[in-house]
Amino acid sequence: MTSVSEGTAGSGAGPAVVPPGERGATRIADRVVSKTAAQAAHEAVGPLPAAAAPPQATVVVHHDTARVRIHLELGYPGDVAARCREVRRHVVERVGALVGMEVPEVAVHVERLHLTPAHDVAQGRTR
């Protein structure tokens, strides 16, 4: 009498165990990566002026790598370069953590600068 161990084909006791190398792969849609990157950029820039549009992202995904382009509007005055660096750093970190993709490139395009209300009021006439 021969016996068949559990978990193997033909046992009828449950699904067969498939070795990791033969399993399928999970594919994350470009749209999901894009939304994740835009949300990460929004987290990095913090509160925006009332008239500013939220950050938008476009991505090019190849295997497990995503190249990201962020379009955003910022308040002015402020350190634009430092804010762009923070956006790059945060997008790389969050996309890597949430989507599991490497992000070797984040291009940040500042579309518009908005004067902040405090700066607007302080702009009065100087004699």
Side-chain angles (χ1 to χ4, degrees):
M1 179 174 190
T2 56
S3 67
V4 178
S5 63
E6 285 186 24
T8 59
S11 69
V17 177
V18 179
E22 296 177 20
R23 295 179 190 160
T26 301
R27 185 181 182 304
I28 299 173
D30 294 6
R31 186 180 65 140
V32 172
V33 179
S34 177
K35 286 185 178 194
T36 303
Q39 179 60 37
H42 196 291
E43 293 168 2
V45 297
L48 295 171
Q56 300 292 315
T58 56
V59 299
V60 175
V61 176
H62 185 69
H63 299 292
D64 289 335
T65 302
R67 297 192 187 288
V68 180
R69 184 170 298 220
I70 302 286
H71 298 270
L72 51 83
E73 299 179 8
L74 296 173
Y76 185 82
D79 189 347
V80 175
R83 291 182 85 186
C84 290
R85 269 192 308 274
E86 179 58 20
V87 167
R88 282 186 199 97
R89 185 198 65 74
H90 197 68
V91 167
V92 167
E93 177 185 301
R94 297 299 285 162
V95 170
L98 296 173
V99 182
M101 290 187 178
E102 181 183 340
V103 184
E105 177 184 338
V106 178
V108 178
H109 296 271
V110 178
E111 301 289 331
R112 183 174 295 147
L113 296 173
H114 296 270
L115 286 176
T116 56
H119 189 265
D120 249 347
V121 173
Q123 279 285 330
R125 227 170 146 174
T126 307
R127 294 178 196 229

